[in-house]
Amino acid sequence: MIKTEDIINIAGYFTIIAHTPGRLRVRVNPKIKKESENISIEDIENLPKKINGIKSIKINKIIASVTITYDANIFKPQVWEDLINKQNLEEITQIINNLAKEVM
């Protein structure tokens, strides 16, 4: 099961390519592979089932990118920016925990 701290850790490997309210596309640093013992691709792909407000996550392994579609009324765009830039992490942790269906 994926934990909130895992989400915060993997976000550190992301760089924003494009971001409009409701859709975020990020480049993934190859060094994310060292997190593979803590979290799997399936864990990431299943986040929409576990957190309200995340609609879908599409992983493109060939070009090392992830596209996240989300409800901008639930997750404000600034939350994503802050998560990737490792800012306001206590607030983000609280938001994720409040929206979680299964995340711990």
Side-chain angles (χ1 to χ4, degrees):
M1 181 181 294
I2 191 167
K3 298 177 183 168
T4 303
E5 69 184 45
D6 294 328
I7 294 169
I8 291 170
N9 286 339
I10 63 168
Y13 294 95
F14 295 164
T15 304
I16 296 174
I17 299 170
H19 190 196
T20 56
R23 185 177 183 276
L24 173 67
R25 188 161 173 247
V26 296
R27 177 81 51 227
V28 181
N29 185 317
K31 293 180 182 175
I32 196 170
K33 290 179 184 176
K34 70 180 182 180
E35 297 292 332
S36 64
E37 44 187 73
N38 299 329
I39 187 168
S40 68
I41 289 176
E42 291 78 23
D43 288 331
I44 296 168
E45 290 174 330
N46 287 324
L47 281 176
K49 296 175 187 170
K50 298 179 180 187
I51 301 176
N52 290 317
I54 298 177
K55 296 178 180 179
S56 69
I57 295 178
K58 294 180 184 161
I59 298 172
N60 186 325
K61 296 176 196 172
I62 296 171
I63 61 171
S65 73
V66 175
T67 302
I68 302 166
T69 55
Y70 64 93
D71 184 330
N73 294 315
I74 295 174
F75 275 105
K76 302 295 180 206
Q78 189 61 48
V79 171
W80 295 101
E81 305 270 340
D82 287 350
L83 176 62
I84 290 169
N85 293 314
K86 297 235 180 226
Q87 298 174 344
N88 302 317
L89 294 180
E90 286 183 28
E91 179 183 342
I92 292 169
T93 298
Q94 187 175 22
I95 291 168
I96 292 171
N97 288 339
N98 288 340
L99 294 171
K101 299 174 190 171
E102 292 182 38
V103 176
M104 298 179 76

